[in-house]
């Protein structure tokens, strides 16, 4: 007996309805990427292992899917590694390629490899799947899409301003009103750590601070002390534990707190420019907020850091994020190539839009109308009309088999097709069509032009 088919854990099948909704989101993101001047590129699903390994830290390297070499891959394996069952060392001799872990490192490789053909600053977007050998759980998959937009080759803060506007524009177009675009700056976090004399514990400090909303002030202080940050040092950053007020007020508080840190004050001035400019230009529906606890990608980012939270009515993690990096391409030998980029979390955005019932009714993978098949002569008459309707952009189809009419209507109902078109012997003789609304049951007789106009408007 054949075994029941299945798919690997952490992957998903998508139904026609799922794909239609995902494509709706992707199309909005894509059209706005292009509206803002970003150009599309695509990179291979798999890269040489040396391109990916060592770029994501020890934990990241473990999550990279390795691809076995073609043919008898064990014949070239290192025998001592094979005998000792040392999988870490053995992997390099039996696998030379790997599935991409993200879109950022392949983008860096692309920029370096094609640097003589690229006009800088280079604004690129990429919407492609990535793979991670992570433990699957709710909202976390082994195969998922990333939607990235980056500008490389410019240190101008106008890029950050535009990326805030891009977030606002996309989420407004999706109907997601009230998203919060959180912003911070890596230099501010470094400055805070320097002020309290804990520059060597920057990671420990920020990781603990990032948990403020989860474990509270006492919990954060306890964790910092456990990591070796002196209690008296924490008194210097007491304002951080009750960091409220408008963005302007928060920036002024930071100016006082970081007045003795040159790097910290650079971060304050960068934030001041971005936030004041965005405020003067205005946002449609999103809210910009300064969050000093935001510390995503600390080893990676060098300037502004972004994270997008969904509307407060939805219990969901971040639906976007990004930041400024000063030496992305340095890992491949091209130094001093500053860049800044953001990403949209397609899967989480889908869940939020679905929960808030924001998908338009017109987003469907199904046809607008089904022509009922009454036989070859009638089917040919129907196909003539179908050809013209499709040329107008209307999604219509003919039921392929001449079976009981009830079965054909049932098929349309199960497919969610809103209209059935009757083109029988009587309609053929009168050069008309009987259009039936399958929801209301209403029926009307139209000529081809009338049918075309009605389907375009409904």
């Amino acid at each position: 007996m054949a075994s029941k088919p299945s798919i690997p854990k952490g992957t998903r099948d998508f139904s026609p309805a799922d794909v239609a909704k995902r494509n709706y989101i992707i199309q909005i993101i894509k059209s706005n990427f292009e509206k803002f001047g970003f150009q599309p590129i695509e990179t291979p699903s798999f890269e040489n292992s040396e391109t990916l390994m060592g770029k994501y830290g020890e934990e990241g390297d473990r999550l990279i899917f390795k691809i076995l070499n073609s043919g008898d891959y064990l014949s070239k394996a290192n025998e001592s590694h094979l005998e000792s069952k040392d999988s870490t060392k053995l992997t390099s001799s039996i696998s030379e390629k790997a599935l991409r872990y993200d879109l950022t490192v392949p983008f860096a490789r692309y920029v370096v490899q094609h640097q003589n053909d690229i006009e800088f600053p280079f604004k690129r977007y990429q919407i492609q799947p990535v793979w991670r050998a992570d433990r699957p759980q709710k909202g976390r998959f082994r195969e998922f899409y990333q939607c990235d937009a980056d500008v490389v080759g410019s240190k101008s803060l106008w890029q950050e301003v535009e990326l805030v506007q891009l977030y606002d524009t996309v989420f407004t177009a999706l109907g997601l009103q009230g998203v919060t675009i959180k912003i911070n700056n890596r230099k501010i976090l470094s400055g805070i750590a320097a002020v309290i004399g804990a520059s060597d514990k920057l990671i420990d400090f920020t990781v603990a601070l990032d948990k403020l909303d989860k474990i509270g002030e006492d919990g954060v202080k306890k964790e910092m002390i456990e990591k070796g940050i002196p209690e008296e040092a924490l008194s210097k950053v007491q304002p951080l534990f009750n960091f409220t007020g408008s963005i302007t007020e928060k920036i002024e508080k930071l100016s006082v707190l970081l007045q003795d840190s040159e790097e910290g004050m650079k971060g304050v001035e960068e934030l001041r420019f971005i936030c004041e400019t965005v405020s003067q230009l205005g946002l449609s529906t999103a809210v910009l907020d300064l969050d000093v606890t935001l510390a995503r990608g600390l080893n990676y980012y060098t300037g502004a850091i972004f994270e997008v939270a969904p509307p407060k009515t939805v219990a969901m993690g971040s639906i976007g994020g990004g930041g400024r990096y000063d030496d992305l391409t340095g890992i491949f030998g091209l130094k001093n190539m500053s860049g800044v980029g953001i990403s949209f979390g397609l899967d989480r955005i889908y869940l939020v839009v679905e929960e808030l019932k924001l998908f338009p009714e017109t987003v469907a993978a199904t046809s607008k109308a089904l022509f009922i098949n009454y036989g070859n002569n009638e089917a040919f008459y129907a196909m003539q009309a179908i050809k013209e309707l499709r040329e107008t952009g209307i999604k219509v189809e003919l039921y392929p088999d001449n079976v009981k009419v009830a079965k054909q209507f049932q098929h349309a109902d199960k497919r969610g097709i809103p209209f059935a078109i009757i083109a029988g012997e009587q309609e053929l003789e009168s050069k008309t069509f009987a259009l039936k609304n399958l929801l209301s049951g209403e029926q009307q007789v139209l000529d081809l032009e009338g049918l075309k106009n009605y389907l375009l408007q409904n």
Side-chain angles (χ1 to χ4, degrees):
M1 183 176 176
S3 61
K4 186 178 179 181
S6 63
I7 59 175
K9 287 182 179 179
T11 63
R12 295 160 291 170
D13 287 324
F14 296 106
S15 70
D18 294 333
V19 172
K21 289 176 179 178
R22 287 168 66 86
N23 285 345
Y24 166 76
I25 295 172
I26 289 171
Q27 188 53 45
I28 285 178
I29 294 173
K30 179 181 175 182
S31 64
N32 281 290
F33 279 167
E34 293 178 355
K35 192 186 299 181
F36 277 69
F38 292 88
Q39 299 175 286
I41 69 164
E42 291 189 357
T43 57
S45 298
F46 54 93
E47 297 269 353
N48 292 326
S49 296
E50 61 190 25
T51 299
L52 303 177
M53 298 299 289
K55 311 303 190 300
Y56 306 102
E58 190 176 332
E59 178 63 25
D61 282 355
R62 284 200 296 268
L63 299 181
I64 292 174
F65 275 108
K66 286 81 175 178
I67 300 173
L68 291 173
N69 294 338
S70 302
D72 186 5
Y73 55 86
L74 281 180
S75 64
K76 296 180 181 179
N78 183 294
E79 290 189 14
S80 63
H81 296 159
L82 194 59
E83 287 176 12
S84 64
K85 297 183 180 180
D86 188 334
S87 58
T88 303
K89 293 179 179 177
L90 180 63
T91 300
S92 61
S93 62
I94 64 173
S95 172
E96 297 170 355
K97 299 175 185 66
L99 292 176
R100 60 171 173 244
Y101 176 88
D102 71 356
L103 298 179
T104 305
V105 169
F107 171 52
R109 188 266 309 152
Y110 177 93
V111 170
V112 175
Q113 194 170 341
H114 299 275
Q115 58 185 289
N116 295 327
D117 306 315
I118 292 172
E119 173 60 30
F120 294 102
F122 179 45
K123 301 175 76 170
R124 88 78 164 90
Y125 78 82
Q126 214 169 335
I127 302 175
Q128 288 186 280
V130 299
W131 294 267
R132 295 183 186 178
D134 215 340
R135 185 170 63 85
Q137 52 185 286
K138 185 179 180 182
R140 181 177 293 173
F141 305 99
R142 287 176 169 173
E143 178 185 61
F144 57 95
Y145 268 74
Q146 287 190 338
C147 309
D148 289 6
D150 290 78
V151 187
V152 67
S154 169
K155 294 182 178 181
S156 169
L157 294 177
W158 286 106
Q159 307 292 359
E160 277 86 339
V161 171
E162 277 218 311
L163 291 175
V164 172
Q165 291 181 313
L166 177 56
Y167 266 141
D168 177 50
T169 304
V170 168
F171 289 121
T172 298
L174 287 169
L176 282 178
Q177 299 193 8
V179 303
T180 301
I181 304 169
K182 300 177 183 178
I183 186 171
N184 197 13
N185 194 295
R186 169 67 159 75
K187 297 181 180 73
I188 284 174
L189 293 168
S190 298
I192 293 170
V195 164
I196 65 172
S199 292
D200 59 330
K201 297 187 181 297
L202 174 60
I203 302 296
D204 293 331
F205 173 79
T206 51
V207 166
L209 187 62
D210 194 39
K211 298 176 184 176
L212 184 60
D213 61 337
K214 299 183 184 70
I215 61 177
E217 180 181 336
D218 292 340
V220 170
K221 287 181 175 178
K222 182 173 179 288
E223 185 169 323
M224 288 181 176
I225 291 168
E226 288 173 351
K227 295 293 184 180
I229 298 171
E231 197 166 345
E232 57 270 20
L234 297 182
S235 63
K236 297 179 182 178
V237 289
Q238 183 62 36
L240 294 180
F241 297 110
N242 188 29
F243 206 70
T244 56
S246 66
I247 288 182
T248 302
E249 290 168 340
K250 289 178 179 178
I251 288 176
E252 291 312 312
K253 288 179 183 178
L254 285 173
S255 297
V256 174
L257 184 66
L258 297 171
Q259 58 187 324
D260 295 329
S261 169
E262 184 180 349
E263 184 174 16
M265 288 306 294
K266 281 182 183 176
V268 170
E269 291 311 309
E270 288 178 11
L271 270 184
R272 193 192 304 276
F273 175 82
I274 296 166
C275 295
E276 287 184 356
T277 306
V278 168
S279 176
Q280 289 167 8
L281 290 169
L283 296 175
S284 297
T285 61
V287 176
L288 183 66
D289 186 35
L290 170 53
D291 183 354
V292 289
T293 69
L294 182 60
R296 61 180 293 138
L298 193 61
N299 290 329
Y300 184 74
Y301 297 120
T302 55
I305 307 168
F306 299 108
E307 189 168 279
V308 183
K312 292 181 173 62
T313 54
V314 182
M316 181 69 67
S318 64
I319 54 176
R324 165 74 64 174
Y325 39 81
D326 279 342
D327 197 20
L328 174 70
T329 56
I331 54 177
F332 297 115
L334 182 60
K335 299 292 185 183
N336 302 316
M337 183 66 74
S338 185
V340 60
I342 59 173
S343 183
F344 289 82
L346 174 63
D347 294 293
R348 285 185 175 178
I349 292 171
Y350 179 104
L351 293 172
V352 173
V353 174
E354 181 90 311
E355 183 174 332
L356 296 176
K357 297 180 171 56
L358 294 174
F359 283 112
E361 290 183 10
T362 52
V363 176
T366 194
S367 296
K368 177 69 75 71
L370 176 73
F371 279 77
I372 305 300
N373 191 328
Y374 286 92
N376 284 343
N377 289 338
E378 293 85 350
F380 184 78
Y381 173 63
M383 285 300 290
Q384 289 175 307
I386 287 170
K387 183 172 182 287
E388 194 163 328
L389 290 170
R390 285 174 176 166
E391 287 172 354
T392 315
I394 302 169
K395 296 191 286 187
V396 289
E397 60 183 280
L398 171 72
Y399 192 87
D401 302 305
N402 179 14
V403 296
K404 289 182 179 180
V405 171
K407 183 177 181 180
Q408 298 185 50
F409 274 103
Q410 191 178 51
H411 176 77
D413 187 52
K414 287 182 177 179
R415 289 267 312 278
I417 298 174
F419 298 103
I421 299 173
I422 298 163
E425 185 178 349
Q426 182 179 332
E427 287 76 23
L428 193 157
E429 290 177 0
S430 61
K431 302 297 181 189
T432 59
F433 302 89
L435 176 72
K436 184 170 184 177
N437 185 316
L438 296 179
L439 194 61
S440 67
E442 293 177 4
Q443 189 166 309
Q444 56 185 309
V445 177
L446 302 164
D447 61 13
L448 181 56
E449 195 62 29
L451 181 64
K452 186 189 303 179
N453 291 333
Y454 185 88
L455 291 175
L456 281 171
Q457 295 168 14
N458 292 276

